[in-house]
C-alpha cells in the first residue's frame, strides 16, 4: 500500500514537472533570486544591523517566494487551458523579469548596507543599484509610469 502511494506521488510529481518544463528557466531564475535575497538579507541584518536569525523573517521570505512560484505556475496552466501557451510563456516571462528586477534591487540595497560607504565594493554596488533603479526600468513596459505615479 505504501509503495503504491509512493509510486503515485512520484508519477504525479514527474507529470507536473514535465508539464512545467517550458517555464523551467523562469522557475530556476526565481529560485536563484529568492535564495540570494534570503542570503543577503540575512547577512545584511547580521552585519549592518547586528540582528540574529529571525524565523519570522525567514518564513516571510519563503512565503513571498511561494506566492510568485504559484502565480507563475497558475499563469502557465491557465494559458495552456485556454490553448494559448505562447501568451502564457510571455506572461510568465514578464512576471519573472519584474520579480527579478524588484528583488535584485533589494539584494543590492542589502549589499550597500554591508559595505563601508565610499569603499570600492560599496561604489560598485551603488553604481549597479543606480543603473538598475533608474536606467533599466526603461526596458520594462509600464514600470517607469508605475513608479512615477505612486502605488496603491
Amino acid at each position: 500500500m505504501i509503495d503504491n502511494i509512493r509510486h503515485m506521488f512520484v508519477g504525479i510529481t514527474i507529470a507536473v514537472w514535465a508539464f512545467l518544463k517550458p517555464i523551467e528557466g523562469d522557475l530556476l531564475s526565481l529560485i536563484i533570486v529568492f535564495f540570494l535575497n534570503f542570503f543577503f538579507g540575512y547577512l545584511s541584518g547580521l552585519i549592518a544591523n547586528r540582528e540574529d536569525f529571525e524565523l519570522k523573517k525567514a518564513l516571510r521570505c519563503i512565503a513571498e517566494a511561494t506566492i510568485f512560484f504559484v502565480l507563475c505556475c497558475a499563469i502557465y496552466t491557465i494559458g495552456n487551458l485556454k490553448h494559448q501557451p505562447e501568451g502564457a510563456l510571455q506572461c510568465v516571462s514578464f512576471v519573472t523579469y519584474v520579480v527579478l528586477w524588484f528583488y535584485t534591487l533589494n539584494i543590492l540595497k542589502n549589499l550597500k548596507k554591508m559595505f563601508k560607504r565610499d569603499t570600492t565594493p560599496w561604489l560598485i554596488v551603488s553604481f549597479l543599484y543606480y543603473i538598475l533603479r533608474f536606467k533599466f526600468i526603461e526596458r520594462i513596459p509600464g514600470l517607469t509610469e508605475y513608479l512615477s505615479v505612486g502605488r496603491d
Side-chain angles (χ1 to χ4, degrees), residues 1 6 10 40 55 88 101 140:
M1 178 69 175
R6 189 180 66 195
V10 169
F40 288 117
L55 184 60
W101 184 79
I140 301 175

Side-chain angles (χ1 to χ4, degrees), residues 105-148:
L105 282 179
N106 193 52
I107 290 166
L108 291 172
K109 190 168 54 171
N110 284 329
L111 281 171
K112 278 177 61 175
K113 290 179 188 176
M114 291 169 44
F115 296 122
K116 187 177 177 183
R117 188 173 182 84
D118 294 327
T119 61
T120 302
W122 186 89
L123 290 170
I124 292 168
V125 170
S126 184
F127 176 72
L128 290 173
Y129 182 82
Y130 169 78
I131 292 296
L132 281 177
R133 176 65 176 93
F134 298 106
K135 299 297 180 187
F136 187 76
I137 61 172
E138 298 162 359
R139 300 260 185 196
I140 301 175
L143 189 55
T144 304
E145 294 84 18
Y146 171 74
L147 292 173
S148 66

Side-chain angles (χ1 to χ4, degrees), residues 7-145:
H7 289 213
M8 185 175 71
F9 179 74
V10 169
I12 291 170
T13 302
I14 290 171
V16 168
W17 193 266
F19 175 74
L20 296 175
K21 183 72 174 163
I23 62 169
E24 178 182 38
D26 293 299
L27 296 178
L28 185 57
S29 298
L30 291 175
I31 288 171
I32 292 168
V33 79
F34 284 121
F35 171 77
L36 291 173
N37 184 58
F38 180 86
F39 180 73
F40 288 117
Y42 171 68
L43 277 182
S44 174
L46 188 68
I47 293 169
N49 302 334
R50 308 278 189 239
E51 297 173 350
D52 288 330
F53 178 81
E54 290 185 37
L55 184 60
K56 185 177 177 181
K57 280 177 135 178
L59 291 176
R60 181 180 172 101
C61 184
I62 292 168
E64 289 173 2
T66 302
I67 288 167
F68 288 110
F69 285 119
V70 170
L71 178 65
C72 286
C73 292
I75 289 169
Y76 181 70
T77 301
I78 291 167
N80 272 316
L81 291 173
K82 292 179 68 177
H83 305 289
Q84 296 177 348
E86 296 84 16
L89 286 173
Q90 186 176 9
C91 190
V92 168
S93 179
F94 180 77
V95 170
T96 302
Y97 278 117
V98 171
V99 169
L100 289 174
W101 184 79
F102 278 103
Y103 277 92
T104 301
L105 282 179
N106 193 52
I107 290 166
L108 291 172
K109 190 168 54 171
N110 284 329
L111 281 171
K112 278 177 61 175
K113 290 179 188 176
M114 291 169 44
F115 296 122
K116 187 177 177 183
R117 188 173 182 84
D118 294 327
T119 61
T120 302
W122 186 89
L123 290 170
I124 292 168
V125 170
S126 184
F127 176 72
L128 290 173
Y129 182 82
Y130 169 78
I131 292 296
L132 281 177
R133 176 65 176 93
F134 298 106
K135 299 297 180 187
F136 187 76
I137 61 172
E138 298 162 359
R139 300 260 185 196
I140 301 175
L143 189 55
T144 304
E145 294 84 18

